[in-house]
Structure formats: C-alpha cells, structure tokens
C-alpha cells in the first residue's frame, strides 16, 4: 500500500512539473491557396484593402502593398492566384509595397496564423509576438520542404504556410517583413485561441491533490506504526 501511494505522489509531482508549457510555435505546410483549418477566419484582400471583415485583425504600415498580377522586378502573384494580394518590399526600394514591413495586431489572442506564400525567398521574415515579447522568427528558408529561391511557379516556393501555437501558446501580433524584393502573400488566416486554465490555477488544483495524497500517506504510515 505504501509503495502504491508513493507512486501516486510521484505522478502528481510529474504533472506539476509539466503544468507550465514551454513556448513553442511550429511551422507546418499544407496544400491549396486557403487554410485547411475549418475554424480559421480569413482575410483575402480581394476588396483592395487590408481590412479584416471579421473585425479581429488590424493591419498597419500598409501603403501600396495591395496589388494584383505580376510586375517584373517588383512582385509576382503567388502561383495560381488571380486575385489581389499583399506584397512587402524593403523601405525606400521604390517599388510597390516598399513599406518594409506590415504589422498585424489581433484584438484577441490567437493560436494559429496561416498564409498562402508566393515565390518564397530566404529574405522573407515573420516575427511572432505576445505583447512585446518576441516568441519566434521564421525566414523563408525555415519553411519545411521549401526551396526559398523566389520561383514564380515551383511548388517548393509557392505553398500555404501554417504557424501553430503548441501547448497553449498564444500570440497577438505578427510582423511580416522583407529584406529584398519581395514578400508576396494572400489569404491570411487566423484562429482565436482556445480558453485554457491559467497555469497558476492548475497548480492550485494540483497542490490540493498533492496535499490530500500526502495526508493519506501519513495516515497509512501511522496505521503501520500502530500495527507494529
């Protein structure tokens, strides 16, 4: 009996140790030009603006970034995409979308952000933030299976990229930027974060459980001592 109780107490300790998840945002690639997440909300840019029809995402530092088609030396439409999209070029480069970067702020925390990327380059970057804390930075070279060589037609440079928060990880801002011409994306998708118990609340519940287990262990030890 004492051995079993010791194992139970050990199990409680293991759970407490894992109650604070490590920060993790994972990049995953999927097919098609739209998100495969059924609960995701989408910004298409089809109306020529960076306005979110769902009312949760706010785009800033957008000037001449919404374009359509392809212009040599400036931007290329993501493969198979005939609609308007977002392009980002370095500040001062003198081409469409030369704002240097675009901020995307979410009114509520999200645990997923995705986009259809066109002609990926190694100098395309995405920064993931929670408040002012930078959680992760990805480049075009980090996209799984990608050959970030700027190809207009290759399936290895034109793909849907998903950034997924793991183990309860949430974020509320995404910065898309480029050090070269250009970073083209369309059909931005996001998912509002699922409500999960705060780590402090979970630890409180686990602490009560640990206290109860410890008390039971002490009572069993007293019983053993009396019998002896």
């Amino acid at each position: 009996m004492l051995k079993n109780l010791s194992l139970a107490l050990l199990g409680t300790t293991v759970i407490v140790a894992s109650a604070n998840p490590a920060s993790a945002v994972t990049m995953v690639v999927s097919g098609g030009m739209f998100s495969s997440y059924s609960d995701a909300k989408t910004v298409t840019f089809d109306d020529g603006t960076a306005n979110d029809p769902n009312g949760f995402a706010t785009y800033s530092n957008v000037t001449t970034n919404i374009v359509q088609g392809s212009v040599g030396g400036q931007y290329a439409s993501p493969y198979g995409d005939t609609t308007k999209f977002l392009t980002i070029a370095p500040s001062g480069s003198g081409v469409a979308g030369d704002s240097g970067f675009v901020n995307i702020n979410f009114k509520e925390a999200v645990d997923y952000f995705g986009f259809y990327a066109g002609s990926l380059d190694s100098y395309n970057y995405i920064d993931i933030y929670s408040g002012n804390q930078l959680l992760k930075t990805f480049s075009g070279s980090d996209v799984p299976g990608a050959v970030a060589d700027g190809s207009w037609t290759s399936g290895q440079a034109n793909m849907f990229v998903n950034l997924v928060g793991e183990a309860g990880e949430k974020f509320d801002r995404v910065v898309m930027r480029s050090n070269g011409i250009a970073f083209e994306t369309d059909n931005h998708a996001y998912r509002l974060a699922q409500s999960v118990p705060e780590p402090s609340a979970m630890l409180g519940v686990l602490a009560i459980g640990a206290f109860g287990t410890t008390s039971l262990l002490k009572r069993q030890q007293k019983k053993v001592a009396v019998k002896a």
Side-chain angles (χ1 to χ4, degrees):
M1 180 63 179
L2 288 175
K3 182 183 293 185
N4 292 338
L5 286 171
S6 298
L7 290 174
L9 185 58
L10 176 61
T12 302
T13 303
V14 172
I15 295 173
V16 171
S18 62
N20 292 310
S23 296
V25 178
T26 301
M27 180 177 278
V28 181
V29 171
S30 58
M33 292 190 290
F34 290 87
S35 174
S36 59
Y37 288 71
S38 60
D39 52 353
K41 301 179 184 298
T42 304
V43 180
T44 66
F45 311 107
D46 289 350
D47 63 355
T49 74
N51 296 328
D52 176 16
N54 309 291
F56 290 97
T58 300
Y59 287 72
S60 60
N61 205 41
V62 174
T63 54
T64 58
N65 302 77
I66 311 300
V67 296
Q68 189 170 8
S70 301
V71 176
Q74 294 199 40
Y75 53 83
S77 177
Y79 183 69
D81 190 348
T82 60
T83 65
K84 295 177 181 178
F85 59 93
L86 182 76
T87 183
I88 304 171
S91 179
S93 58
V95 302
D98 62 348
S99 61
F101 67 92
V102 168
N103 268 314
I104 309 171
N105 287 279
F106 298 99
K107 184 167 65 176
E108 298 181 25
V110 300
D111 58 13
Y112 163 76
F113 177 73
F115 58 92
Y116 183 46
S119 55
L120 271 172
D121 288 290
S122 58
Y123 48 72
N124 299 155
Y125 293 93
I126 304 171
D127 303 318
I128 309 297
Y129 285 87
S130 176
N132 293 322
Q133 180 183 2
L134 176 63
L135 300 180
K136 194 105 175 188
T137 293
F138 295 97
S139 73
S141 299
D142 294 322
V143 177
V147 177
D149 60 359
S151 171
W152 291 22
T153 59
S154 170
Q156 292 177 300
N158 296 262
M159 57 186 65
F160 203 93
V161 179
N162 306 280
L163 303 173
V164 186
E166 294 185 342
E169 186 68 78
K170 299 182 289 186
F171 48 96
D172 53 22
R173 181 161 65 102
V174 171
V175 177
M176 308 185 84
R177 55 188 174 88
S178 186
N179 292 342
I181 302 173
F183 188 6
E184 302 95 335
T185 63
D186 199 3
N187 304 326
H188 292 188
Y190 62 89
R191 179 179 64 191
L192 299 181
Q194 304 297 315
S195 297
V196 296
E198 292 294 328
S200 57
M202 287 296 296
L203 286 172
V205 172
L206 292 171
I208 293 173
F211 176 77
T213 303
T214 304
S215 298
L216 180 59
L217 178 59
K218 289 180 178 179
R219 288 198 297 271
Q220 291 299 328
Q221 288 175 332
K222 287 181 179 179
K223 289 182 180 180
V224 171
V226 170
K227 289 182 180 180

